[in-house]
Amino acid sequence: MSAAASGTHTIGDELTVNRLGFGAMRVAGPGVWGPPADRGTAVGVLRRAVELGINLIDTADSYGPHVSEELIAEALHPYPDGLLVATKGGLERTGPGEWPRNGRPEHLRSACEGSLGRLRVNQIDLYQLHAPDPDVPYADSVGTLKELQDEGKIRHVGVSNVTVEQLAQARSIVDVVTVQNRFNLTDRTSADVLAVCEQDGLGFFPWFPLAAGYLAQTGGPVDEIAARHDATPGQVALAWLLQRSAVMLPIPGTGSVAHLEENVAAAELELGDEELEQLEAAGDAAT
Ligand SMILES: NC(=O)c1ccc[n+]([C@@H]2O[C@H](COP(=O)([O-])OP(=O)(O)OC[C@H]3O[C@@H](n4cnc5c(N)ncnc54)[C@H](OP(=O)(O)O)[C@@H]3O)[C@@H](O)[C@H]2O)c1
């Protein structure tokens, strides 16, 4: 079993990764707040992810806050060649489940500095603006990432939670190589953003990739197709994402080695064209 079965995508014309990655939000404590119940388990999940061929890990300063980045460094630094750790800045944490946006230039600068220190690197390979802040001109936030790139602190820039218009605005300021938006079988509202990414070869991280669990509970088509392939509904949801687009880079998150292994095995699952259509129809019906 290996994430390599998902195929590869090259980020920014130079960083080639296996398309099935890992979202490191869930290695923090409940509510993505504080340390995990068992630090050893969290470190073990991160190490097992890399053993299983995952070389794309997504995190953010706000996960914990700081806990996810610290665990990644504890588990994996010095990083093996070819491992891309992508982080994000632009949100604050004021309590469990609270994520106020802060896209002010001074905040983004200090967030980036903090991530460099916690990840123990001199340059972040992929730094993503977590979300537009309605109280700050988007151009000011994106412009700060451009400055950080010019200063060598960031190698590549990504954006997250954007509309087609915001993506175009960001790309008028800096070379954007990835987008991270919510996207799954039952929520394809970002299909227009994905289409831009496909057309221009930008990587697309669909967050919340496993929300199809909702469909699985109904005894509906996800269940049936999963049974046909001797797979779980979550694996079908991930396989659908991987087959939906060549630029799709799913980052399912978990704090459990067993779930991680189940998710990586989805890279080997091949769905037929008819099954893909059935799944999309079911996704439409559920929304
Ligand atoms: N840009 C953004 O605004 C944004 C927002 C949210 C998330 N993200 C990123 O996207 C990543 C993925 O999103 P997500 O974690 O919210 O959603 P997800 O991957 O769709 O779902 C994760 C949830 O599903 C459970 N799970 C994972 N694998 C499972 C399996 N095989 N069987 C049963 N349950 C399973 C996990 O619990 P267990 O721990 O118990 O397995 C966790 O509660 C995050 O880690 C983060 O890196 C980005």
Side-chain angles (χ1 to χ4, degrees):
M1 181 204 317
S2 168
S6 61
T8 60
H9 172 79
T10 301
I11 291 176
D13 288 332
E14 58 166 354
L15 305 171
T16 299
V17 292
N18 293 324
R19 288 203 296 134
L20 184 68
F22 178 74
M25 184 172 89
R26 305 281 175 180
V27 295
V32 199
W33 185 255
D38 183 343
R39 202 168 180 91
T41 301
V43 165
V45 167
L46 289 158
R47 291 190 178 147
R48 184 76 182 126
V50 171
E51 270 171 21
L52 291 172
I54 286 176
N55 52 15
L56 172 61
I57 296 180
D58 178 71
T59 184
D61 63 341
S62 50
Y63 298 163
H66 303 167
V67 172
S68 174
E69 290 181 332
E70 285 165 359
L71 282 166
I72 288 169
E74 180 180 333
L76 300 169
H77 191 274
Y79 303 113
D81 284 348
L83 175 66
L84 170 53
V85 179
T87 192
K88 304 187 275 300
L91 301 184
E92 289 189 69
R93 297 303 303 279
T94 45
E98 295 174 13
W99 308 80
R101 297 182 181 198
N102 188 344
R104 291 196 308 277
E106 59 275 22
H107 173 76
L108 294 174
R109 278 196 163 272
S110 78
C112 179
E113 293 290 350
S115 292
L116 283 164
R118 284 184 294 277
L119 291 171
R120 304 183 210 163
V121 292
N122 296 321
Q123 185 182 56
I124 292 166
D125 282 340
L126 176 61
Y127 194 77
Q128 306 155 93
L129 184 55
H130 211 138
D133 178 347
D135 296 329
V136 177
Y138 195 47
D140 292 358
S141 303
V142 176
T144 305
L145 266 57
K146 165 90 171 97
E147 286 168 16
L148 291 165
Q149 186 181 49
D150 290 343
E151 291 162 25
K153 293 177 176 158
I154 295 175
R155 189 152 169 186
H156 291 288
V157 172
V159 292
S160 178
N161 298 305
V162 290
T163 62
V164 167
E165 292 73 26
Q166 287 162 335
L167 174 58
Q169 188 186 3
R171 295 178 77 193
S172 72
I173 296 167
V174 68
D175 185 20
V176 173
V177 297
T178 57
V179 175
Q180 183 169 151
N181 275 14
R182 188 167 63 188
F183 191 83
N184 58 52
L185 203 41
T186 58
D187 180 354
R188 283 175 271 145
T189 43
S190 282
D192 54 353
V193 177
L194 172 61
V196 174
C197 292
E198 278 182 323
Q199 182 189 301
D200 295 345
L202 276 60
F204 184 93
F205 297 86
W207 64 260
F208 208 22
L210 291 168
Y214 164 75
L215 279 177
Q217 290 165 12
T218 65
V222 179
D223 254 357
E224 282 169 35
I225 292 170
R228 205 179 296 154
H229 289 272
D230 200 16
T232 64
Q235 288 174 323
V236 171
L238 291 173
W240 171 78
L241 277 170
L242 287 166
Q243 285 180 241
R244 174 70 175 70
S245 169
V247 300
M248 192 76 79
L249 310 172
I251 43 169
T254 180
S256 134
V257 169
H259 287 169
L260 167 72
E261 291 177 349
E262 181 184 320
N263 297 342
V264 171
E268 276 155 27
L269 177 58
E270 272 190 46
L271 302 170
D273 290 344
E274 207 174 299
E275 290 174 327
L276 296 173
E277 279 168 29
Q278 268 180 287
L279 288 168
E280 299 216 356
D284 287 340
T287 51

